[in-house]
Amino acid sequence: MGLAKNALGDDEEIVLELHPHWSTLVGTIFWAAVAVAIAAVAIFFIPGGSAQTLIRLIIAAVGLVAILVVGLIPFLRWVTTSYTLTNRRFALRDGILSRSHRDIPLTRVNDVSFQQSLIQRILRSGTLTVESGGEHGQLVLKNIPRVEYTQNQLYRIVEELTDGDGVRP
């Protein structure tokens, strides 16, 4: 779901392709499990009677909708969000039904930094901030896996493009 190979320019190569860190799905998995448990308990404790089957089907349907809302949609959002670093640009793609694209030419990048909380350090994720000259200025990407490595790669390529002297070719 990242940058398509046919979308690459001449002499452009993919350096890194990332999705948000898997830890972003922990809450999603938890709430989906809670929805399943609540629906199962409710179905189990429905008293007998002529409407028992209908009530169980309604609870199951409500449970299924809850699982879709709290489980499937965030999962699809995670799957369809990609960050691609090439030797020329940093590309962000996201969206389930409609797509959003943002490309930052690396020749416009002024600063690359990252932040990590203690938990993020343990999980090797963090927030990457890319500052560029232009209209949008700053791009803040949360829950980036291997954030320090990603920052180093991005900085290395920017330095190569500027020949290390701060002057862009």
Side-chain angles (χ1 to χ4, degrees), residues 53-115:
T53 304
L54 179 62
I55 294 171
R56 283 184 175 175
L57 287 174
I58 291 170
I59 291 172
V62 169
L64 184 61
V65 168
I67 291 167
L68 290 175
V69 170
V70 301
L72 184 61
I73 292 173
F75 177 75
L76 289 175
R77 191 171 294 122
W78 177 80
V79 166
T80 59
T81 299
S82 68
Y83 311 112
T84 305
L85 174 64
T86 75
N87 59 339
R88 300 277 181 244
R89 62 185 154 154
F90 190 77
L92 166 64
R93 306 286 188 259
D94 66 343
I96 299 171
L97 298 177
S98 62
R99 298 286 291 159
S100 172
H101 307 269
R102 181 162 179 201
D103 291 350
I104 298 176
L106 296 184
T107 55
R108 300 187 99 186
V109 171
N110 298 328
D111 185 47
V112 181
S113 60
F114 72 92
Q115 292 178 319

Side-chain angles (χ1 to χ4, degrees), residues 103-151:
D103 291 350
I104 298 176
L106 296 184
T107 55
R108 300 187 99 186
V109 171
N110 298 328
D111 185 47
V112 181
S113 60
F114 72 92
Q115 292 178 319
Q116 291 177 302
S117 68
L118 178 60
I119 300 291
Q120 288 174 324
R121 286 186 71 185
I122 292 168
L123 296 174
R124 296 180 47 188
S125 69
T127 300
L128 183 70
T129 303
V130 181
E131 290 187 27
S132 67
E135 227 175 88
H136 299 290
Q138 191 178 70
L139 179 63
V140 178
L141 305 169
K142 297 181 179 184
N143 297 309
I144 300 295
R146 302 181 331 165
V147 69
E148 188 170 0
Y149 177 75
T150 303
Q151 185 256 358

